[in-house]
mmCIF file of all heavy atoms in Angstrom:
data_model
loop_
_atom_site.group_PDB
_atom_site.id
_atom_site.type_symbol
_atom_site.label_atom_id
_atom_site.label_comp_id
_atom_site.label_asym_id
_atom_site.label_seq_id
_atom_site.Cartn_x
_atom_site.Cartn_y
_atom_site.Cartn_z
ATOM 1 N N CYS A 1 161.605 -27.801 33.232
ATOM 2 C CA CYS A 1 160.911 -28.585 34.321
ATOM 3 C C CYS A 1 159.444 -28.460 34.002
ATOM 4 O O CYS A 1 158.667 -29.201 34.735
ATOM 5 C CB CYS A 1 161.112 -27.932 35.696
ATOM 6 S SG CYS A 1 162.886 -28.361 36.138
ATOM 7 N N ASP A 2 158.949 -27.674 33.060
ATOM 8 C CA ASP A 2 157.423 -27.453 32.873
ATOM 9 C C ASP A 2 156.956 -28.270 31.837
ATOM 10 O O ASP A 2 155.762 -28.378 31.510
ATOM 11 C CB ASP A 2 157.253 -25.918 32.517
ATOM 12 C CG ASP A 2 157.470 -25.090 33.732
ATOM 13 O OD1 ASP A 2 157.253 -25.582 34.941
ATOM 14 O OD2 ASP A 2 157.816 -23.914 33.522
ATOM 15 N N THR A 3 157.872 -28.985 31.062
ATOM 16 C CA THR A 3 157.401 -29.832 29.988
ATOM 17 C C THR A 3 157.176 -31.263 30.487
ATOM 18 O O THR A 3 157.798 -31.596 31.469
ATOM 19 C CB THR A 3 158.461 -29.894 28.816
ATOM 20 O OG1 THR A 3 159.652 -30.453 29.335
ATOM 21 C CG2 THR A 3 158.709 -28.452 28.244
ATOM 22 N N THR A 4 156.335 -31.960 29.742
ATOM 23 C CA THR A 4 156.108 -33.357 30.142
ATOM 24 C C THR A 4 156.501 -34.307 29.080
ATOM 25 O O THR A 4 156.403 -35.595 29.298
ATOM 26 C CB THR A 4 154.542 -33.554 30.561
ATOM 27 O OG1 THR A 4 153.826 -33.151 29.373
ATOM 28 C CG2 THR A 4 154.253 -32.727 31.737
ATOM 29 N N GLU A 5 157.076 -33.821 27.961
ATOM 30 C CA GLU A 5 157.458 -34.804 26.961
ATOM 31 C C GLU A 5 158.927 -35.207 27.104
ATOM 32 O O GLU A 5 159.763 -34.421 27.471
ATOM 33 C CB GLU A 5 157.365 -34.030 25.582
ATOM 34 C CG GLU A 5 155.945 -33.717 25.067
ATOM 35 C CD GLU A 5 155.822 -33.129 23.731
ATOM 36 O OE1 GLU A 5 156.903 -32.812 23.218
ATOM 37 O OE2 GLU A 5 154.783 -32.945 23.193
ATOM 38 N N LEU A 6 159.123 -36.436 26.813
ATOM 39 C CA LEU A 6 160.439 -36.908 27.037
ATOM 40 C C LEU A 6 160.916 -37.490 25.703
ATOM 41 O O LEU A 6 160.047 -38.084 25.018
ATOM 42 C CB LEU A 6 160.485 -38.075 28.070
ATOM 43 C CG LEU A 6 160.212 -37.628 29.558
ATOM 44 C CD1 LEU A 6 160.075 -38.850 30.344
ATOM 45 C CD2 LEU A 6 161.198 -36.716 29.951
ATOM 46 N N SER A 7 162.163 -37.401 25.459
ATOM 47 C CA SER A 7 162.707 -38.015 24.250
ATOM 48 C C SER A 7 163.412 -39.288 24.538
ATOM 49 O O SER A 7 164.315 -39.241 25.365
ATOM 50 C CB SER A 7 163.623 -37.137 23.491
ATOM 51 O OG SER A 7 164.713 -36.787 24.335
ATOM 52 N N GLY A 8 162.936 -40.387 23.978
ATOM 53 C CA GLY A 8 163.530 -41.672 24.176
ATOM 54 C C GLY A 8 163.074 -42.296 25.489
ATOM 55 O O GLY A 8 162.242 -41.794 26.211
ATOM 56 N N GLY A 9 163.661 -43.390 25.896
ATOM 57 C CA GLY A 9 163.311 -44.125 27.120
ATOM 58 C C GLY A 9 164.469 -44.157 28.070
ATOM 59 O O GLY A 9 165.451 -43.375 27.951
ATOM 60 N N GLY A 10 164.286 -44.914 29.115
ATOM 61 C CA GLY A 10 165.508 -45.014 30.048
ATOM 62 C C GLY A 10 165.050 -44.755 31.489
ATOM 63 O O GLY A 10 164.022 -44.122 31.761
ATOM 64 N N GLU A 11 165.736 -45.317 32.319
ATOM 65 C CA GLU A 11 165.484 -45.215 33.807
ATOM 66 C C GLU A 11 165.574 -43.720 34.256
ATOM 67 O O GLU A 11 164.708 -43.264 35.073
ATOM 68 C CB GLU A 11 166.445 -46.102 34.603
ATOM 69 C CG GLU A 11 166.209 -46.407 35.952
ATOM 70 C CD GLU A 11 164.912 -47.297 36.055
ATOM 71 O OE1 GLU A 11 164.810 -48.174 35.109
ATOM 72 O OE2 GLU A 11 164.338 -47.328 37.120
ATOM 73 N N GLY A 12 166.603 -42.917 33.934
ATOM 74 C CA GLY A 12 166.710 -41.624 34.322
ATOM 75 C C GLY A 12 165.540 -40.705 33.884
ATOM 76 O O GLY A 12 165.063 -39.906 34.662
ATOM 77 N N GLU A 13 165.111 -40.983 32.684
ATOM 78 C CA GLU A 13 163.998 -40.130 32.193
ATOM 79 C C GLU A 13 162.655 -40.476 32.908
ATOM 80 O O GLU A 13 161.782 -39.697 33.135
ATOM 81 C CB GLU A 13 163.896 -40.238 30.627
ATOM 82 C CG GLU A 13 165.111 -39.540 29.896
ATOM 83 C CD GLU A 13 165.014 -39.711 28.408
ATOM 84 O OE1 GLU A 13 164.052 -40.425 27.938
ATOM 85 O OE2 GLU A 13 165.832 -39.183 27.877
ATOM 86 N N LEU A 14 162.498 -41.764 33.144
ATOM 87 C CA LEU A 14 161.266 -42.238 33.904
ATOM 88 C C LEU A 14 161.349 -41.566 35.296
ATOM 89 O O LEU A 14 160.261 -40.994 35.731
ATOM 90 C CB LEU A 14 161.314 -43.622 34.017
ATOM 91 C CG LEU A 14 159.966 -44.369 34.689
ATOM 92 C CD1 LEU A 14 158.803 -43.859 33.898
ATOM 93 C CD2 LEU A 14 160.092 -45.786 34.752
ATOM 94 N N HIS A 15 162.518 -41.523 35.874
ATOM 95 C CA HIS A 15 162.615 -40.837 37.187
ATOM 96 C C HIS A 15 162.317 -39.324 37.048
ATOM 97 O O HIS A 15 161.640 -38.727 37.980
ATOM 98 C CB HIS A 15 164.029 -40.974 37.803
ATOM 99 C CG HIS A 15 164.262 -40.333 39.057
ATOM 100 N ND1 HIS A 15 163.601 -40.780 40.258
ATOM 101 C CD2 HIS A 15 164.938 -39.308 39.550
ATOM 102 C CE1 HIS A 15 163.849 -40.073 41.200
ATOM 103 N NE2 HIS A 15 164.720 -39.080 40.761
ATOM 104 N N LEU A 16 162.768 -38.729 36.024
ATOM 105 C CA LEU A 16 162.534 -37.273 35.769
ATOM 106 C C LEU A 16 161.125 -37.014 35.484
ATOM 107 O O LEU A 16 160.541 -36.058 36.096
ATOM 108 C CB LEU A 16 163.307 -36.818 34.515
ATOM 109 C CG LEU A 16 163.197 -35.357 34.114
ATOM 110 C CD1 LEU A 16 163.671 -34.446 35.193
ATOM 111 C CD2 LEU A 16 164.004 -35.218 32.861
ATOM 112 N N GLU A 17 160.357 -37.985 34.794
ATOM 113 C CA GLU A 17 158.943 -37.774 34.633
ATOM 114 C C GLU A 17 158.223 -37.912 35.968
ATOM 115 O O GLU A 17 157.301 -37.270 36.279
ATOM 116 C CB GLU A 17 158.454 -38.884 33.610
ATOM 117 C CG GLU A 17 156.944 -38.796 33.260
ATOM 118 C CD GLU A 17 156.496 -37.460 32.691
ATOM 119 O OE1 GLU A 17 157.317 -36.791 32.071
ATOM 120 O OE2 GLU A 17 155.298 -37.216 32.716
ATOM 121 N N HIS A 18 158.543 -38.875 36.740
ATOM 122 C CA HIS A 18 158.021 -39.111 38.084
ATOM 123 C C HIS A 18 158.157 -37.819 38.897
ATOM 124 O O HIS A 18 157.194 -37.367 39.521
ATOM 125 C CB HIS A 18 158.610 -40.230 38.762
ATOM 126 C CG HIS A 18 158.259 -40.476 40.159
ATOM 127 N ND1 HIS A 18 156.999 -41.053 40.371
ATOM 128 C CD2 HIS A 18 158.833 -40.249 41.302
ATOM 129 C CE1 HIS A 18 156.881 -41.078 41.706
ATOM 130 N NE2 HIS A 18 157.950 -40.660 42.267
ATOM 131 N N GLU A 19 159.357 -37.224 38.896
ATOM 132 C CA GLU A 19 159.651 -35.985 39.670
ATOM 133 C C GLU A 19 158.796 -34.810 39.076
ATOM 134 O O GLU A 19 158.292 -33.977 39.809
ATOM 135 C CB GLU A 19 161.168 -35.578 39.682
ATOM 136 C CG GLU A 19 161.956 -36.497 40.478
ATOM 137 C CD GLU A 19 161.571 -36.502 41.857
ATOM 138 O OE1 GLU A 19 161.204 -35.364 42.483
ATOM 139 O OE2 GLU A 19 161.488 -37.617 42.461
ATOM 140 N N ARG A 20 158.678 -34.752 37.793
ATOM 141 C CA ARG A 20 157.844 -33.689 37.199
ATOM 142 C C ARG A 20 156.299 -33.829 37.633
ATOM 143 O O ARG A 20 155.719 -32.806 38.032
ATOM 144 C CB ARG A 20 157.842 -33.738 35.669
ATOM 145 C CG ARG A 20 159.074 -33.187 35.052
ATOM 146 C CD ARG A 20 159.043 -33.259 33.548
ATOM 147 N NE ARG A 20 160.275 -32.908 32.999
ATOM 148 C CZ ARG A 20 160.766 -33.400 31.842
ATOM 149 N NH1 ARG A 20 160.056 -34.347 31.214
ATOM 150 N NH2 ARG A 20 161.989 -33.054 31.406
ATOM 151 N N VAL A 21 155.895 -35.030 37.686
ATOM 152 C CA VAL A 21 154.427 -35.242 38.135
ATOM 153 C C VAL A 21 154.294 -34.816 39.622
ATOM 154 O O VAL A 21 153.330 -34.265 39.991
ATOM 155 C CB VAL A 21 154.021 -36.815 37.782
ATOM 156 C CG1 VAL A 21 152.764 -37.020 38.579
ATOM 157 C CG2 VAL A 21 153.936 -36.943 36.334
ATOM 158 N N LYS A 22 155.334 -35.228 40.430
ATOM 159 C CA LYS A 22 155.298 -34.873 41.774
ATOM 160 C C LYS A 22 155.357 -33.346 41.994
ATOM 161 O O LYS A 22 154.538 -32.777 42.797
ATOM 162 C CB LYS A 22 156.516 -35.471 42.571
ATOM 163 C CG LYS A 22 156.279 -36.959 42.955
ATOM 164 C CD LYS A 22 157.495 -37.491 43.519
ATOM 165 C CE LYS A 22 158.154 -36.815 44.663
ATOM 166 N NZ LYS A 22 159.311 -37.376 45.301
ATOM 167 N N THR A 23 156.146 -32.682 41.153
ATOM 168 C CA THR A 23 156.194 -31.224 41.215
ATOM 169 C C THR A 23 154.841 -30.634 40.778
ATOM 170 O O THR A 23 154.295 -29.714 41.520
ATOM 171 C CB THR A 23 157.357 -30.729 40.283
ATOM 172 O OG1 THR A 23 158.507 -31.192 40.727
ATOM 173 C CG2 THR A 23 157.339 -29.215 40.366
ATOM 174 N N GLN A 24 154.184 -31.237 39.782
ATOM 175 C CA GLN A 24 152.943 -30.572 39.325
ATOM 176 C C GLN A 24 151.770 -30.856 40.364
ATOM 177 O O GLN A 24 151.074 -29.981 40.669
ATOM 178 C CB GLN A 24 152.500 -31.308 38.060
ATOM 179 C CG GLN A 24 153.299 -30.772 36.867
ATOM 180 C CD GLN A 24 153.044 -31.539 35.591
ATOM 181 O OE1 GLN A 24 152.379 -32.604 35.605
ATOM 182 N NE2 GLN A 24 153.631 -31.069 34.447
ATOM 183 N N LEU A 25 151.820 -32.039 41.025
ATOM 184 C CA LEU A 25 150.881 -32.290 42.034
ATOM 185 C C LEU A 25 151.104 -31.430 43.242
ATOM 186 O O LEU A 25 150.230 -30.890 43.864
ATOM 187 C CB LEU A 25 151.026 -33.755 42.456
ATOM 188 C CG LEU A 25 150.338 -34.847 41.488
ATOM 189 C CD1 LEU A 25 150.674 -36.239 41.940
ATOM 190 C CD2 LEU A 25 148.891 -34.516 41.323
ATOM 191 N N SER A 26 152.413 -31.301 43.600
ATOM 192 C CA SER A 26 152.746 -30.323 44.787
ATOM 193 C C SER A 26 152.366 -28.999 44.507
ATOM 194 O O SER A 26 151.866 -28.297 45.417
ATOM 195 C CB SER A 26 154.217 -30.499 45.009
ATOM 196 O OG SER A 26 154.548 -29.701 46.127
ATOM 197 N N THR A 27 152.594 -28.468 43.262
ATOM 198 C CA THR A 27 152.265 -27.138 42.859
ATOM 199 C C THR A 27 150.749 -27.023 42.950
ATOM 200 O O THR A 27 150.221 -26.078 43.435
ATOM 201 C CB THR A 27 152.731 -26.835 41.436
ATOM 202 O OG1 THR A 27 154.120 -27.032 41.433
ATOM 203 C CG2 THR A 27 152.288 -25.409 41.010
ATOM 204 N N SER A 28 149.916 -27.928 42.391
ATOM 205 C CA SER A 28 148.497 -27.966 42.479
ATOM 206 C C SER A 28 147.923 -27.879 43.961
ATOM 207 O O SER A 28 147.042 -27.178 44.243
ATOM 208 C CB SER A 28 147.897 -29.079 41.675
ATOM 209 O OG SER A 28 148.245 -29.137 40.320
ATOM 210 N N LEU A 29 148.554 -28.691 44.709
ATOM 211 C CA LEU A 29 148.173 -28.670 46.187
ATOM 212 C C LEU A 29 148.449 -27.360 46.826
ATOM 213 O O LEU A 29 147.562 -26.828 47.462
ATOM 214 C CB LEU A 29 148.960 -29.824 46.919
ATOM 215 C CG LEU A 29 148.672 -29.937 48.419
ATOM 216 C CD1 LEU A 29 147.262 -30.190 48.656
ATOM 217 C CD2 LEU A 29 149.507 -30.923 49.023
ATOM 218 N N TYR A 30 149.620 -26.803 46.512
ATOM 219 C CA TYR A 30 149.989 -25.446 47.068
ATOM 220 C C TYR A 30 149.001 -24.433 46.680
ATOM 221 O O TYR A 30 148.447 -23.584 47.400
ATOM 222 C CB TYR A 30 151.383 -25.179 46.677
ATOM 223 C CG TYR A 30 151.844 -23.785 47.058
ATOM 224 C CD1 TYR A 30 152.219 -23.548 48.346
ATOM 225 C CD2 TYR A 30 151.771 -22.756 46.089
ATOM 226 C CE1 TYR A 30 152.575 -22.201 48.702
ATOM 227 C CE2 TYR A 30 152.124 -21.344 46.426
ATOM 228 C CZ TYR A 30 152.499 -21.254 47.812
ATOM 229 O OH TYR A 30 152.910 -19.981 48.149
ATOM 230 N N ILE A 31 148.639 -24.515 45.406
ATOM 231 C CA ILE A 31 147.785 -23.377 44.811
ATOM 232 C C ILE A 31 146.357 -23.672 45.382
ATOM 233 O O ILE A 31 145.728 -22.626 45.868
ATOM 234 C CB ILE A 31 147.684 -23.515 43.267
ATOM 235 C CG1 ILE A 31 149.022 -23.032 42.658
ATOM 236 C CG2 ILE A 31 146.550 -22.667 42.687
ATOM 237 C CD1 ILE A 31 149.159 -23.304 41.185
ATOM 238 N N GLY A 32 145.942 -24.856 45.533
ATOM 239 C CA GLY A 32 144.613 -25.205 46.128
ATOM 240 C C GLY A 32 144.609 -24.662 47.603
ATOM 241 O O GLY A 32 143.651 -24.091 47.959
ATOM 242 N N LEU A 33 145.645 -24.964 48.343
ATOM 243 C CA LEU A 33 145.680 -24.460 49.728
ATOM 244 C C LEU A 33 145.698 -22.990 49.818
ATOM 245 O O LEU A 33 145.017 -22.268 50.657
ATOM 246 C CB LEU A 33 146.830 -25.059 50.497
ATOM 247 C CG LEU A 33 146.808 -26.486 50.693
ATOM 248 C CD1 LEU A 33 148.058 -27.138 51.318
ATOM 249 C CD2 LEU A 33 145.632 -26.850 51.721
ATOM 250 N N LYS A 34 146.491 -22.350 48.865
ATOM 251 C CA LYS A 34 146.476 -20.888 48.900
ATOM 252 C C LYS A 34 145.108 -20.320 48.481
ATOM 253 O O LYS A 34 144.744 -19.338 49.182
ATOM 254 C CB LYS A 34 147.579 -20.445 47.877
ATOM 255 C CG LYS A 34 147.706 -18.948 47.625
ATOM 256 C CD LYS A 34 148.171 -18.231 48.828
ATOM 257 C CE LYS A 34 148.370 -16.801 48.613
ATOM 258 N NZ LYS A 34 147.458 -15.969 49.407
ATOM 259 N N LEU A 35 144.480 -20.780 47.522
ATOM 260 C CA LEU A 35 143.153 -20.322 47.244
ATOM 261 C C LEU A 35 142.145 -20.463 48.401
ATOM 262 O O LEU A 35 141.354 -19.705 48.574
ATOM 263 C CB LEU A 35 142.635 -20.985 45.929
ATOM 264 C CG LEU A 35 143.383 -20.676 44.598
ATOM 265 C CD1 LEU A 35 142.813 -21.677 43.563
ATOM 266 C CD2 LEU A 35 143.096 -19.194 44.284
ATOM 267 N N SER A 36 142.235 -21.644 49.019
ATOM 268 C CA SER A 36 141.440 -21.898 50.183
ATOM 269 C C SER A 36 141.674 -20.844 51.261
ATOM 270 O O SER A 36 140.677 -20.302 51.813
ATOM 271 C CB SER A 36 141.562 -23.306 50.753
ATOM 272 O OG SER A 36 140.849 -23.450 51.907
ATOM 273 N N THR A 37 142.918 -20.672 51.423
ATOM 274 C CA THR A 37 143.326 -19.528 52.581
ATOM 275 C C THR A 37 142.778 -18.238 52.114
ATOM 276 O O THR A 37 142.301 -17.503 52.911
ATOM 277 C CB THR A 37 144.837 -19.581 52.763
ATOM 278 O OG1 THR A 37 145.231 -20.920 53.124
ATOM 279 C CG2 THR A 37 145.165 -18.616 53.818
ATOM 280 N N ASP A 38 142.978 -17.863 50.886
ATOM 281 C CA ASP A 38 142.558 -16.580 50.435
ATOM 282 C C ASP A 38 141.057 -16.472 50.527
ATOM 283 O O ASP A 38 140.486 -15.399 50.928
ATOM 284 C CB ASP A 38 143.045 -16.393 48.958
ATOM 285 C CG ASP A 38 144.515 -16.144 48.797
ATOM 286 O OD1 ASP A 38 145.156 -15.886 49.737
ATOM 287 O OD2 ASP A 38 144.925 -16.218 47.641
ATOM 288 N N LEU A 39 140.310 -17.556 50.164
ATOM 289 C CA LEU A 39 138.848 -17.497 50.255
ATOM 290 C C LEU A 39 138.470 -17.237 51.710
ATOM 291 O O LEU A 39 137.530 -16.427 51.963
ATOM 292 C CB LEU A 39 138.291 -18.814 49.712
ATOM 293 C CG LEU A 39 136.773 -18.838 49.697
ATOM 294 C CD1 LEU A 39 136.040 -17.739 48.921
ATOM 295 C CD2 LEU A 39 136.330 -20.269 49.249
ATOM 296 N N GLU A 40 139.050 -17.922 52.631
ATOM 297 C CA GLU A 40 138.660 -17.776 54.003
ATOM 298 C C GLU A 40 139.016 -16.329 54.501
ATOM 299 O O GLU A 40 138.178 -15.736 55.294
ATOM 300 C CB GLU A 40 139.512 -18.752 54.907
ATOM 301 C CG GLU A 40 138.934 -20.263 54.824
ATOM 302 C CD GLU A 40 137.440 -20.312 55.073
ATOM 303 O OE1 GLU A 40 136.948 -19.869 56.039
ATOM 304 O OE2 GLU A 40 136.748 -21.069 54.252
ATOM 305 N N ALA A 41 140.101 -15.735 54.060
ATOM 306 C CA ALA A 41 140.474 -14.357 54.415
ATOM 307 C C ALA A 41 139.411 -13.516 53.866
ATOM 308 O O ALA A 41 138.954 -12.423 54.543
ATOM 309 C CB ALA A 41 141.836 -14.061 53.963
ATOM 310 N N VAL A 42 138.961 -13.657 52.602
ATOM 311 C CA VAL A 42 137.962 -12.735 51.983
ATOM 312 C C VAL A 42 136.772 -12.910 52.697
ATOM 313 O O VAL A 42 135.935 -11.918 52.930
ATOM 314 C CB VAL A 42 137.844 -13.141 50.484
ATOM 315 C CG1 VAL A 42 136.658 -12.374 49.883
ATOM 316 C CG2 VAL A 42 139.066 -12.695 49.739
ATOM 317 N N LYS A 43 136.234 -14.089 53.030
ATOM 318 C CA LYS A 43 135.042 -14.287 53.845
ATOM 319 C C LYS A 43 135.093 -13.515 55.167
ATOM 320 O O LYS A 43 134.134 -12.979 55.592
ATOM 321 C CB LYS A 43 134.808 -15.774 54.085
ATOM 322 C CG LYS A 43 134.219 -16.635 52.856
ATOM 323 C CD LYS A 43 134.080 -18.016 53.286
ATOM 324 C CE LYS A 43 133.537 -18.870 51.985
ATOM 325 N NZ LYS A 43 133.417 -20.247 52.460
ATOM 326 N N SER A 44 136.198 -13.665 55.831
ATOM 327 C CA SER A 44 136.416 -12.998 57.150
ATOM 328 C C SER A 44 136.325 -11.449 57.045
ATOM 329 O O SER A 44 135.621 -10.729 57.684
ATOM 330 C CB SER A 44 137.781 -13.387 57.696
ATOM 331 O OG SER A 44 137.947 -12.661 58.936
ATOM 332 N N ASP A 45 137.025 -10.881 55.957
ATOM 333 C CA ASP A 45 136.981 -9.512 55.619
ATOM 334 C C ASP A 45 135.516 -9.072 55.340
ATOM 335 O O ASP A 45 135.094 -8.086 55.847
ATOM 336 C CB ASP A 45 137.857 -9.192 54.478
ATOM 337 C CG ASP A 45 139.345 -9.283 54.831
ATOM 338 O OD1 ASP A 45 139.649 -9.338 56.045
ATOM 339 O OD2 ASP A 45 140.197 -9.200 53.994
ATOM 340 N N LEU A 46 134.866 -9.966 54.546
ATOM 341 C CA LEU A 46 133.438 -9.565 54.123
ATOM 342 C C LEU A 46 132.499 -9.529 55.428
ATOM 343 O O LEU A 46 131.721 -8.678 55.501
ATOM 344 C CB LEU A 46 132.910 -10.525 53.171
ATOM 345 C CG LEU A 46 131.527 -10.274 52.646
ATOM 346 C CD1 LEU A 46 131.392 -8.994 51.970
ATOM 347 C CD2 LEU A 46 131.136 -11.446 51.676
ATOM 348 N N ASP A 47 132.740 -10.516 56.299
ATOM 349 C CA ASP A 47 131.919 -10.560 57.458
ATOM 350 C C ASP A 47 132.145 -9.276 58.356
ATOM 351 O O ASP A 47 131.287 -8.687 58.858
ATOM 352 C CB ASP A 47 132.203 -11.890 58.358
ATOM 353 C CG ASP A 47 131.650 -13.057 57.653
ATOM 354 O OD1 ASP A 47 130.738 -13.015 56.752
ATOM 355 O OD2 ASP A 47 132.006 -14.182 57.977
#
């Protein structure tokens, strides 16, 4: 699931690529939200 290369064409592989991109975007969003939450917690602790 971590690779983005596909061998050959086809409807199933296009759907798989679409799902991989969705997973990567979802992961990036999750990480961004986590970093933001961590930053706010650190700021609060520092204050």
Side-chain angles (χ1 to χ4, degrees):
C1 295
D2 293 329
T3 64
T4 56
E5 292 183 351
L6 296 173
S7 58
E11 195 72 25
E13 290 177 358
L14 184 58
H15 179 70
L16 180 60
E17 180 65 17
H18 176 74
E19 289 300 318
R20 284 185 188 145
V21 170
K22 279 176 50 178
T23 300
Q24 290 171 348
L25 287 173
S26 182
T27 302
S28 295
L29 176 63
Y30 174 81
I31 291 169
L33 290 173
K34 175 68 177 114
L35 289 173
S36 177
T37 302
D38 289 350
L39 179 61
E40 289 302 316
V42 167
K43 283 180 182 178
S44 175
D45 287 348
L46 182 60
D47 290 343

